[in-house]
Amino acid sequence: MPSIKLPDVARFIVIGGGVHGLSAAWHLAKELTAKGDQPDVIVLEKAMIGAGASGISGGIVRNYYRSEAMTEVISESVGIFESDAEGFGFHQVGYLAVVPEAQREDLEAIAERQRAVGFESELASGASDCREYLEWLWPDVNSDGVKAVLHEKRSGWADAIGTVRNLARKAREAGVQIFEGVEVTGLDYSGSEVSAVITSAGTIRCEAVLAAPGLWAPQWWAMQGLDPVVTLGEGDEAEQAPLTEYWLAREGDYVLPGVGLAGNAGRAAPVVHFDHTEPLYSDRDGELLTDQPWGIYFRMGMTGGGIVGGGLPLKMGPDFVVDPYGPDNPEQVAGDDLSEFFTSGLAFALKRFRGAGDKWDSNPNGGVLALTPDRYPVADWTGPNVYSILDAGHGFKMLAVGREAAREILGHRSSPLLEPFRLSRFGGGTTHVVSKSPYPWT
Ligand SMILES: Cc1cc2nc3c(=O)[nH]c(=O)nc-3n(C[C@H](O)[C@H](O)[C@H](O)COP(=O)(O)OP(=O)(O)OC[C@H]3O[C@@H](n4cnc5c(N)ncnc54)[C@H](O)[C@@H]3O)c2cc1C
């Protein structure tokens, strides 16, 4: 293999070729050119672009978050997907959150916030309005127990690897050099500032560093000598928590021959999040699967009648071994229990899927995510010339974080969009609000 020839010096070094790193690099280069400067930006990626969570993401782009700070960041991010829908493989089919009474208030608050920032959506509240709304979309829907429905018009889903490639293409066109197979292993300091980045292929001097290491946040934290434990809450209620905790997102590709998700008159189905509090029974053998709040999410697949979807994730804890990362690692994919759960949830939601039992062609997959203690990302300075974006397991859709971070680096001004995502929220009593959703990231 030819050895990699790195530059001796680069003004800005971005670590990580996932969506956050690539979006930041693209926008850094664009802003530099706009200011009349050279777009002297490089990306260092230890494997290949999209090798982390970005490349295996389910690609759902939605704005269904209880945290008010998310609504505007995602609205801006959807704008980036809309700016080149074809390039990102963005399917703007809409997004539907379907919830029981316990989550009705959450959904109403989310709808209110979406109205406030001009993110177009429609809310149905109460059993009869929800029934009418859902039956208009799918005559065979089971709307029993559904108490609120939120329909986001600008949301949908995007092709994960297509999005990664499109970001890389845009970054390169803006002047960024991307080096794959180069691992950052250390930092050289001059006083408190990073003067150079040490890599598996040599040392590069730099003016500033932006790291978006995804699941490898603990290693990045260690490299900077930072504490991997943060404080949650204040005073007597304060508790310590690891900054990074791993979860297994359980997803899969499913086909029931001849039966798809299309709605009334063959309409394309929106992406759906279906949460419930009624017991869920197996569509295979009638056994009780859960009597706790549960949820599934689903969308049409890339081709034909396929369905892509998932169920509740599994907590793997802070010590889970991430490498080797990806679907070839049997510890990092969902099993048949997900298939039974997911297809039973679908059969609960849409009558057309009932009694299909083992007729499903099931391919459970998914992948490991890294979450922060309040399940929202961190975007902050972690040194005088070092900026870190820490993922929180649902960042595929958050392309505007990289853009805002790039602007902060260049202007050293604070982006109001990113203010709620600072590290100081831990221990400062300003962590994000927790929803009543059974999911850790809503
Ligand atoms: C199965 C699954 C489904 C998901 N579904 C959705 C969804 O539907 N919608 C959504 O919004 N989000 C979803 N997510 C979450 C989303 O994919 C992530 O939040 C997002 O991709 C994180 O991007 P990132 O750039 O921070 O990290 P990553 O994509 O993990 O990228 C980090 C990169 O940094 C590189 N790196 C790390 N350390 C170093 C180093 N020292 N030197 C050089 N390179 C380094 C890694 O190799 C990696 O490529 C899903 C995730 C999974 C796993």
Side-chain angles (χ1 to χ4, degrees), residues 68 71-72 109-119:
E68 292 198 349
T71 319
E72 213 168 346
I110 293 168
E112 185 56 43
R113 177 71 184 148
Q114 292 186 348
R115 251 192 307 280
V117 307
F119 191 80

Side-chain angles (χ1 to χ4, degrees), residues 50-370:
S54 301
I56 55 170
S57 166
I60 294 175
V61 177
R62 48 124 173 167
N63 208 341
Y64 167 47
Y65 287 98
R66 186 67 184 82
S67 160
E68 292 198 349
M70 290 290 278
T71 319
E72 213 168 346
V73 174
I74 294 176
S75 182
E76 290 291 310
S77 302
V78 170
I80 298 177
F81 281 104
E82 287 170 338
S83 69
D84 182 10
E86 197 181 337
F88 288 117
F90 180 42
H91 302 251
Q92 201 165 34
V93 291
Y95 175 86
L96 208 65
V98 180
V99 304
E101 185 61 36
Q103 289 168 250
R104 189 214 289 231
E105 267 180 34
D106 277 345
L107 212 63
E108 288 172 351
I110 293 168
E112 185 56 43
R113 177 71 184 148
Q114 292 186 348
R115 251 192 307 280
V117 307
F119 191 80
E120 194 193 351
S121 65
E122 223 177 314
L123 177 77
S125 190
S128 66
D129 279 6
C130 291
R131 184 179 305 275
E132 191 189 330
Y133 201 94
L134 290 175
E135 284 182 359
W136 183 82
L137 275 169
W138 296 287
D140 64 327
V141 75
N142 171 18
S143 53
D144 293 350
V146 174
K147 293 297 171 55
V149 173
L150 179 69
H151 193 172
E152 301 173 0
K153 303 299 171 74
R154 288 174 62 199
S155 298
W157 63 278
D159 170 26
I161 205 69
T163 293
V164 168
R165 287 208 187 102
N166 202 39
L167 286 170
R169 184 178 60 75
K170 286 176 185 298
R172 286 191 180 105
E173 282 173 5
V176 175
Q177 283 182 280
I178 300 175
F179 296 94
E180 295 173 288
V182 177
E183 180 167 7
V184 173
T185 54
L187 301 168
D188 266 347
Y189 284 86
S190 167
S192 59
E193 295 205 353
V194 168
S195 54
V197 164
I198 305 163
T199 83
S200 53
T203 296
I204 313 167
R205 283 179 287 118
C206 62
E207 187 178 308
V209 177
L210 180 147
L215 295 103
W216 296 271
Q219 289 86 332
W220 170 240
W221 235 233
M223 238 181 263
Q224 298 173 89
L226 296 173
D227 190 351
V229 171
V230 292
T231 305
L232 290 180
E234 291 177 292
D236 291 346
E237 313 231 306
E239 54 176 306
Q240 304 283 293
L243 187 60
T244 306
E245 188 178 54
Y246 298 107
W247 288 67
L248 177 65
R250 301 186 306 148
E251 302 193 340
D253 298 302
Y254 295 92
V255 178
L256 183 60
V259 191
L261 278 179
N264 243 337
R267 279 189 194 88
V271 178
V272 181
H273 213 116
F274 192 95
D275 289 347
H276 229 290
T277 41
E278 294 207 354
L280 179 65
Y281 294 92
S282 169
D283 193 50
R284 291 184 185 168
D285 57 16
E287 289 288 308
L288 177 70
L289 293 177
T290 183
D291 56 4
Q292 298 298 306
W294 58 275
I296 56 167
Y297 49 96
F298 48 92
R299 64 165 172 85
M300 290 167 113
M302 290 280 247
T303 51
I307 299 170
V308 175
L312 295 175
L314 289 183
K315 197 177 195 167
M316 314 302 274
D319 302 321
F320 182 77
V321 178
V322 166
D323 292 305
Y325 183 73
D328 291 339
N329 183 338
E331 285 186 36
Q332 299 193 9
V333 283
D336 184 56
D337 53 337
L338 186 260
S339 299
E340 182 176 20
F341 189 93
F342 179 71
T343 56
S344 300
L346 270 182
F348 182 101
L350 292 169
K351 294 175 189 155
R352 69 189 75 176
F353 295 119
R354 290 199 183 155
D358 292 325
K359 296 192 202 93
W360 284 95
D361 178 5
S362 303
N363 175 22
N365 45 60
V368 176
L369 311 156

